[in-house]
Amino acid sequence: MCTILLVEDNLLIRELVREILAIARYEVVEACDGTEALRKVAEIEPQLVLLDIQLPGLDGYSVLRRLRSDPRFNKFPVIALTAYAMQSDRQRIFEAGFDCYMTKPIDRASLLENIHSLLVSIRLADAKRATDPLSTTGPSSTTNHAS
Ligand code: MN
């Protein structure tokens, strides 16, 4: 089962997104603000994070910066949830290191599609690392006999 951390301070949006994810059989853990988000990431180590940009206290950018600066948590995909769709915001979101963004109101089909493709690409990258003999993080390579 794949665990997703949903960080959103708006109760209605949180309930809506939780339901979309639950029906698609993802396990959902919720956080209402940035501090809670950071605590829950450390607790549950989710496979993916949905992160609202506008949060009370630490905003989405600050949360992402802290996640990416921690080697334990800098790999999993993070999707920004934003009320804005302006070009400058889009640019700022990608420059900040988000993998993707969703504009509210959240479209169910695109949300599930984005989540799915990010999880698939993570799995492919992991599989590649595990089988690549040149990789320093994969299993140690054995002697390669020429045939
Ligand atoms: Mn918000």
Side-chain angles (χ1 to χ4, degrees):
M1 169 96 64
C2 183
T3 305
I4 294 178
L5 177 65
L6 167 60
V7 189
E8 170 62 66
D9 61 317
N10 182 298
L11 177 64
L12 291 177
I13 298 174
R14 208 166 62 237
E15 284 180 345
L16 173 83
V17 175
R18 181 214 297 145
E19 189 157 312
I20 294 173
L21 297 176
I23 290 170
R25 301 195 162 241
Y26 290 110
E27 186 166 336
V28 188
V29 177
E30 295 168 44
C32 307
D33 60 49
T35 310
E36 193 184 10
L38 291 170
R39 186 163 49 79
K40 293 212 166 158
V41 161
E43 250 173 54
I44 64 168
E45 301 191 17
Q47 273 76 55
L48 184 144
V49 180
L50 292 171
L51 181 55
D52 183 24
I53 295 283
Q54 285 189 296
L55 291 167
L58 280 181
D59 70 359
Y61 290 112
S62 310
V63 172
L64 184 72
R65 207 174 309 124
R66 295 193 189 195
L67 289 179
R68 295 300 194 216
S69 67
D70 187 328
R72 285 173 302 167
F73 309 127
N74 66 357
K75 288 196 183 67
F76 49 50
V78 184
I79 300 178
L81 303 180
T82 173
Y84 306 119
M86 285 158 53
Q87 187 62 46
S88 58
D89 293 315
R90 231 177 289 178
Q91 203 175 336
R92 189 176 170 204
I93 283 168
F94 287 120
E95 280 171 3
F98 285 98
D99 295 279
C100 152
Y101 76 95
M102 301 287 312
T103 306
K104 297 178 218 179
I106 299 298
D107 176 70
R108 170 199 198 89
S110 343
L111 176 66
L112 293 176
E113 196 180 301
N114 284 332
I115 289 174
H116 182 75
S117 65
L118 283 170
L119 290 174
V120 166
S121 63
I122 283 285
R123 260 173 230 143
L124 287 177
D126 284 350
K128 189 165 182 292
R129 256 199 307 280
T131 55
D132 186 351
L134 298 175
S135 169
T136 50
T137 55
S140 56
S141 61
T142 50
T143 316
N144 191 9
H145 297 287
S147 50

